[in-house]
Amino acid sequence: MSKLAVYPGSFDPITNGHVDIINRGLRIFDKIIIAVGYNPTKSALFTVEERIEMIKGLVGDNPRLVVGSYSGLLVDYLETVDATVILRGLRAMSDFEYEFQLALINRRLDRQVETVFLMTGSKWFYCNSRIIKEAASFGGSVRGLVPDDILHKLKEKYPLLREGNARKRKERC
């Protein structure tokens, strides 16, 4: 019996932190479905279709990774793909509180559903899509926080985005 997990998220955009969770999740699960969620209450930078295409470009033809999308209840999506495990990444205590609540409601909605948490690598502790979009929108470099292909997609949305890692400061007298 193969071990299947669904890794849900907005992935707007996918970050190196997400990629880290996916790669580490593959050590535990035989197959992971990366499920791009449609949330009408959030204003997204990229459409669901754009996010799916970006993620497909990253995962290539790896047969252990599938990219899909869902709207509505995650537990309903899990039922449609015949999965009972949700994979989630955690960065900080604030993540834990929110994720714990989600895990509890998902378990209440479907007693078969389990949530597995992976701590993000320390390198990605502060890395999230919202902060990346904010920095990029003001022209800050996010190189190294997102895969290079995603950096190019961000550059299309934010023409002021700098490619370098750090802002150069003027020398003071």
Side-chain angles (χ1 to χ4, degrees):
M1 185 170 172
S2 112
K3 295 179 282 180
L4 169 66
V6 172
Y7 182 32
S10 62
F11 304 107
D12 186 39
I14 191 166
T15 70
N16 285 340
H18 293 127
V19 173
D20 178 56
I21 295 295
I22 293 166
N23 288 331
R24 291 174 42 229
L26 286 173
R27 291 189 225 152
I28 301 168
F29 300 101
D30 299 318
K31 187 175 187 179
I32 297 173
I33 299 173
I34 304 162
V36 178
Y38 171 73
N39 185 343
T41 64
K42 287 185 176 180
S43 77
L45 178 63
F46 296 99
T47 66
V48 170
E49 294 77 19
E50 287 173 316
R51 289 178 265 163
I52 288 171
E53 283 307 308
M54 288 188 290
I55 296 168
K56 282 183 177 180
L58 289 174
V59 303
D61 59 357
N62 186 334
R64 296 178 61 204
L65 295 172
V66 174
V67 183
S69 66
Y70 74 98
S71 62
L73 290 174
L74 178 58
V75 293
D76 291 341
Y77 178 73
L78 266 67
E79 188 174 354
T80 67
V81 295
D82 199 27
T84 58
V85 177
I86 299 169
L87 174 63
R88 296 294 291 170
L90 293 175
R91 288 180 306 261
M93 283 306 291
S94 58
D95 279 353
F96 177 77
E97 195 172 326
Y98 176 71
E99 292 293 342
F100 185 67
Q101 290 171 353
L102 285 179
L104 290 175
I105 192 64
N106 284 328
R107 182 102 165 107
R108 186 170 200 281
L109 293 169
D110 184 338
R111 301 300 289 165
Q112 301 301 309
V113 171
E114 298 290 348
T115 302
V116 173
F117 298 106
L118 290 180
M119 293 302 298
T120 190
S122 60
K123 197 172 179 180
W124 315 116
F125 192 71
Y126 63 93
C127 180
N128 70 46
S129 297
R130 182 182 47 79
I131 288 173
I132 286 170
K133 288 186 289 192
E134 188 171 336
S137 72
F138 289 108
S141 174
V142 293
R143 179 177 293 287
L145 300 177
V146 295
D148 287 342
D149 291 348
I150 306 308
L151 183 64
H152 297 302
K153 296 291 186 185
L154 282 167
K155 182 84 172 150
E156 291 172 11
K157 299 281 186 176
Y158 299 121
L160 297 177
L161 178 67
R162 284 193 291 275
E163 297 282 334
N165 278 340
R167 198 167 65 113
K168 302 227 187 309
R169 297 202 180 263
K170 293 180 182 176
E171 299 237 0
R172 297 192 178 149
C173 297

